[in-house]
Amino acid sequence: QVQLVESGGGLVQSGGSLRLSCAVSGFTYSIAVMSWYRQAPGKERELVAAITSGGGSTNYADSVKGRFTISRDSAKTTLNLQMNSLKAEDTAVYYCKAVGFEAGRPPVTYWGQGTQVTVSS
């Protein structure tokens, strides 16, 4: 059974930093894209950052470029998001997402339960 469990959210002042982690278990795909999404109240869920299974390619939303860094450990058991210079508009529930790819089969998607990040101005 695949499980994604986020942690590290909380309340921080504007300009501060937080590090989110996503513990991944049961996910055995060798080819995968791991990502962080966020959803603010009244808004659609949006991509924050993504990283390929090899770790060689990353992608960031324009709004977080230069402030956030996505990373993963070599065992693919932990996905991290280092968030610096936080702004009030970063306030949202942050979700971990894993998409696994296997030849001849459609991609399989898993989500975590989310962790709240609140940035006070």
Side-chain angles (χ1 to χ4, degrees):
Q1 183 179 357
V2 177
Q3 285 190 317
L4 280 67
V5 181
E6 300 96 334
S7 62
L11 174 64
V12 64
Q13 288 189 334
S14 180
S17 298
L18 279 176
R19 183 176 178 86
L20 304 184
S21 293
C22 175
V24 183
S25 60
F27 188 78
T28 59
Y29 292 89
S30 59
I31 302 174
V33 176
M34 310 290 290
S35 53
W36 287 96
Y37 279 71
R38 67 185 181 187
Q39 187 166 20
K43 295 188 177 182
E44 293 187 354
R45 192 172 296 189
E46 63 175 358
L47 174 68
V48 175
I51 188 167
T52 57
S53 53
S57 179
T58 57
N59 184 44
Y60 295 92
D62 288 342
S63 59
V64 306
K65 281 181 181 176
R67 300 188 298 122
F68 291 11
T69 302
I70 188 171
S71 63
R72 48 171 289 280
D73 67 341
S74 57
K76 304 175 191 176
T77 58
T78 305
L79 180 70
N80 301 305
L81 185 69
Q82 178 66 42
M83 306 187 295
N84 298 329
S85 303
L86 283 161
K87 306 175 182 179
E89 50 263 44
D90 295 318
T91 295
V93 178
Y94 283 71
Y95 297 90
C96 175
K97 175 184 175 183
V99 181
F101 300 89
E102 186 176 343
R105 294 175 180 265
V108 180
T109 300
Y110 301 93
W111 289 92
Q113 83 289 348
T115 185
Q116 176 70 46
V117 171
T118 303
V119 184
S120 62
S121 56

